[in-house]
Amino acid sequence: MMRAMVTRAGKLVVGEIPKPMPLPATVLIRVHGAAVNRADLLQKRGLYPPPPGASEILGLECSGTVEATFGNSSRFRVGDRVMALLRGGGYAEYALAEEGCVMPVPTTISLSEAAVIPEVWLTAYQLIVRVAKLQHGENIMIHAGASGVGLAASQIAKDLLGAHHIVTSCGSDSKCDASVRVGRASASVNYRSLKGSLSDAVIGAMKGERPNVLLDCIGGSVWVENLKMLDMDGRWILFGTMGGTKPPEGINLGHLLSKRVAVITSTLRNRSVEYQADLVRSFSNEVLPKLAAGKLHITIDSIYDLRDAEEAHRHVEQNENIGKVLLAGFESLEPNRQSDETLQRL
């Protein structure tokens, strides 16, 4: 058995569940740290169920050490420092990962830093390289520029692909500053303090040019402004709906046609294991060495004990974080102090 954070009545409490056993082509990880993702918040509310066969425990990424493998064919050995992209199960003492989705942690990166890499950096890499196919010299606009994905995406756009103008939107001056200083954006627009439209502000920041690519985790509430700012033949990559799932009433699809805009949606969690493993291989070759060398920067906003995951979720829900929120303290996971009844055997 092992301890994990389980969902009860929409809240996370300490529970005891069976410890997973290694299966062919999997790696059992003793978890050192995990990161909070917005998908966790949605799953906790019953709005984002895990894929078939995945753990119902929250957590899409983790770091730790190899506890066990299946047989002797694994490329990993017990005790290796690793990080992994998960379909679920990261909020626990042990997590079972597909071997193809496990990466060695470079010696220059701590296990804490490694915990916030897989989901966010692989998502950013996938969106920019594989989905948007951003080209050298193109312009890109990124919503939520100080989020984990935003900070990773702007760095990848600049340092890996050589984008021209990289402009982001954020909800505070401090987040705009982080987007430029850490994320290396050309400019960042505080959408809360605008006197004009967001599209005009972005085009102005691009010195009259327009985005060729737009990364959108907001959705409905920015539909009109997105369409106004995009260039001809622009690629609009929708990977979240934090601002609503429906565009405003009266939307004229003719405006999409007139600009020949391609609206492309993308997710990562529900893709095949083969796809995810191939993505991990490419990322490990192209991006991970730059992270290890310090050429790309990992941003941890705050650290919470795993038992305080509810508080960490509230912090993310209130959009207070710049970068990632880390969950630690897995080694000393104990029942919630508020009630002895929170330790539940499943």
Side-chain angles (χ1 to χ4, degrees), residues 159-217:
D159 294 317
L160 188 66
L161 298 176
H164 184 207
H165 293 298
I166 303 169
V167 176
T168 69
S169 67
C170 298
S172 70
D173 288 343
S174 61
K175 289 187 175 183
C176 287
D177 175 70
S179 178
V180 173
R181 179 174 44 83
V182 180
R184 300 177 186 171
S186 311
S188 186
V189 175
N190 183 345
Y191 62 84
R192 296 186 190 277
S193 61
L194 285 176
K195 295 181 180 179
S197 70
L198 176 61
S199 55
D200 285 345
V202 170
I203 293 168
M206 291 187 176
K207 305 186 186 307
E209 297 183 27
R210 294 171 178 268
N212 306 104
V213 169
L214 191 151
L215 294 192
D216 180 13
C217 60

Side-chain angles (χ1 to χ4, degrees), residues 2 11 41 50 73 196 217 223 281 298 300-301 321 324 336:
M2 69 173 182
K11 300 291 184 181
L41 279 59
S73 59
C217 60
W223 178 282
R281 280 192 294 271
I298 302 159
I300 296 177
D301 171 87
N321 58 299
K324 293 290 288 182
N336 292 54

Side-chain angles (χ1 to χ4, degrees), residues 87-106:
R87 294 188 165 214
Y91 289 21
E93 290 181 292
Y94 298 91
L96 191 63
E98 297 288 342
E99 183 170 334
C101 295
V102 179
M103 295 170 276
V105 175

Side-chain angles (χ1 to χ4, degrees), residues 33-41 58-63 83-86 90-91 111-124 144-153 155 175 178-179 182-183 239 242 268 283 291 297-305 309 311-317 319-328:
V36 177
N37 291 283
R38 288 193 177 271
D40 302 338
L41 279 59
L58 304 185
L60 301 181
E61 57 191 336
C62 74
S63 67
M83 54 187 173
L85 179 70
L86 306 170
Y91 289 21
L111 281 178
S112 293
E113 291 173 317
V116 306
I117 291 175
E119 173 70 16
V120 155
W121 281 86
L122 284 164
T123 294
S147 67
V149 171
L151 291 171
Q155 291 182 75
K175 289 187 175 183
S179 178
V182 180
F239 67 102
M242 292 169 54
L268 179 56
F283 174 86
L291 284 167
H297 299 289
I298 302 159
T299 304
I300 296 177
D301 171 87
S302 49
I303 302 174
Y304 291 81
D305 281 345
E311 186 178 346
H313 280 201
R314 282 192 292 272
H315 184 66
V316 174
E317 286 171 339
N319 295 319
E320 295 178 350
N321 58 299
I322 294 175
K324 293 290 288 182
V325 173
L326 173 69
L327 298 175

